[in-house]
């Protein structure tokens, strides 16, 4: 009994049950739309399950062999058969309509809020209606994520002037962040569940997605496509801060990268002069 109780308290703990049947959401409008669409499907599925299984269990009990030694001979029921065919078709119609109503808010990015990061407009797809967004280019590679910040990363993600970071992406809240996703080796998959859907990083192609963080906080994700022996270690973190904090961070990051690059160039020069750097 104690064992059963302990097991039940582990399984039924709120932490264990959180998002057990439902999507992770709450970080971005697209993630919330995916979550609510999923819940509609789940509840409708649960309704059908209860009706069908209920009828089955009731029939097993009501018409059990002990009470009914001679089986009734039945040749179908036209009204019932038309009924459940039309009923199932109606359910599919409802699911289709609800899905198509929700799809645009999952696919198309909205405008940044007034207190979001102050951004210049850009015409590169995908784009919120007013064109203002923060672009982050994502490079997946075995086994780490690299992020380059700024509109011009669309031309060259390795532009020396742009700040970049590994593993943790720093972004401002209330700002539409458009992600341009690429891979430098095999197929990876970008997925931070609380911030939206899963998008593959495919070598030779560029895929896009977006999120708009509703509040500050830390969100965790992971490469969602088996990409090699160390795939499990390919974590992704998104740190959402205020627009002011983001601007300060980007500036510091830029300076630190410039300093570090200068030091590396200096070291390279010294090593080359001493013939310690292989040609
Ligand atoms: Cu990967």
């Amino acid at each position: 009994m104690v064992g059963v109780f302990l097991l039940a308290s582990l399984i039924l703990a709120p932490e264990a049950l959180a998002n057990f049947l439902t999507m992770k959401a709450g970080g971005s409008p697209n993630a919330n739309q995916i979550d609510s669409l999923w819940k509609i499907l789940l509840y409708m599925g649960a309704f059908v399950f209860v009706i069908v299984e209920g009828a089955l269990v009731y029939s097993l009990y009501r018409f059990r062999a002990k009470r009914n030694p001679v089986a009734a001979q039945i040749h179908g029921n036209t009204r019932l058969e038309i009924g459940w065919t039309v009923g199932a078709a109606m359910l599919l119609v409802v699911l289709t309509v609800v899905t198509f109503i929700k799809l645009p808010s999952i696919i198309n990015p909205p405008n940044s809020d007034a207190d979001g990061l102050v951004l210049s407009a850009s015409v590169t797809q995908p784009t919120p209606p007013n064109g203002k967004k923060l672009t982050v280019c994502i490079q997946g590679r075995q086994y780490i994520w690299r992020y380059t910040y700024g509109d011009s990363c669309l031309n060259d993600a390795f532009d020396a002037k742009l700040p970049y970071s590994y593993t943790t992406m720093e972004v401002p809240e209330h700002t539409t962040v458009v992600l341009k996703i690429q891979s430098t080796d095999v197929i990876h998959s970008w997925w931070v569940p609380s911030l939206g859907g899963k998008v593959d990083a495919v070598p030779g192609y560029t895929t896009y997605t977006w999120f708009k963080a509703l509040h500050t906080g830390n969100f965790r994700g992971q490469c969602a496509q088996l990409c090699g022996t160390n795939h499990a270690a390919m974590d992704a973190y998104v740190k959402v801060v205020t627009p002011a904090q983001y601007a300060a961070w980007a500036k510091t990051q830029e300076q630190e990268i410039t300093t570090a690059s200068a030091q590396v160039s200096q070291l390279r020069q010294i090593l080359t002069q001493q013939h310690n750097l292989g040609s």
Side-chain angles (χ1 to χ4, degrees):
M1 277 307 284
V2 172
V4 169
F5 177 76
L6 283 178
L7 193 67
S9 61
L10 276 175
I11 294 171
L12 299 175
E15 287 80 9
L17 275 182
N19 308 123
F20 178 65
L21 286 176
T22 54
M23 299 284 144
K24 256 185 147 180
S28 178
N30 48 353
N32 292 350
Q33 293 294 339
I34 291 170
D35 180 52
S36 62
L37 178 56
W38 164 252
K39 277 176 182 155
I40 292 169
L41 305 190
L42 181 70
Y43 297 152
M44 285 176 69
F47 175 73
V48 172
F49 178 83
V50 168
I51 299 282
V52 172
E53 295 304 306
L56 178 66
V57 170
Y58 169 78
S59 303
L60 284 174
Y61 177 76
R62 174 80 173 72
F63 305 106
R64 61 193 184 279
K66 214 191 249 178
R67 278 277 187 89
N68 308 274
V70 182
Q73 302 301 311
I74 296 168
H75 297 275
N77 184 325
T78 311
R79 246 198 287 175
L80 204 58
E81 284 159 19
I82 289 175
W84 67 51
T85 305
V86 172
M90 288 309 293
L91 285 178
L92 289 178
V93 169
V94 171
L95 291 183
T96 308
V97 170
V98 170
T99 302
F100 277 98
I101 287 173
K102 281 194 167 285
L103 265 184
S105 62
I106 294 170
I107 295 168
N108 305 322
N111 283 334
S112 298
D113 292 350
D115 65 341
L117 188 71
V118 179
L119 299 157
S120 57
S122 160
V123 289
T124 322
Q125 294 295 322
T127 293
N130 70 5
K132 293 181 180 177
K133 59 181 177 169
L134 170 67
T135 304
V136 179
C137 293
I138 300 182
Q139 250 84 40
R141 74 171 200 227
Q142 292 167 318
Y143 299 94
I144 198 164
W145 295 104
R146 184 188 194 273
Y147 315 114
T148 318
Y149 303 77
D151 273 341
S152 51
C153 74
L154 293 163
N155 308 321
D156 178 14
F158 295 92
D159 186 331
K161 290 190 203 88
L162 295 174
Y164 62 86
S165 65
Y166 285 95
T167 305
T168 301
M169 182 194 294
E170 191 120 351
V171 291
E173 63 175 341
H174 304 165
T175 306
T176 302
V177 179
V178 171
L179 304 175
K180 178 207 179 201
I181 302 166
Q182 293 176 326
S183 167
T184 52
D185 41 42
V186 300
I187 296 176
H188 300 275
S189 191
W190 170 258
W191 197 24
V192 179
S194 297
L195 296 177
K198 187 196 294 180
V199 179
D200 276 0
V202 184
Y205 292 88
T206 303
T207 47
Y208 295 90
T209 188
W210 63 274
F211 66 84
K212 181 178 151 183
L214 298 166
H215 52 82
T216 60
N218 294 298
F219 300 93
R220 187 181 170 278
Q222 201 164 20
C223 178
Q225 181 74 50
L226 182 61
C227 58
T229 50
N230 220 11
H231 158 71
M234 201 165 159
D235 288 340
Y237 296 92
V238 175
K239 187 178 170 191
V240 181
V241 295
T242 65
Q245 283 170 328
Y246 170 78
W249 172 85
K251 210 172 169 187
T252 312
Q253 193 77 353
E254 245 177 281
Q255 285 166 354
E256 280 175 6
I257 290 168
T258 310
T259 311
S261 301
Q263 284 170 347
V264 169
S265 307
Q266 216 175 4
L267 183 63
R268 185 186 295 274
Q269 221 170 15
I270 294 167
L271 290 173
T272 311
Q273 276 168 6
Q274 295 172 344
H275 304 287
N276 280 329
L277 197 67
S279 52

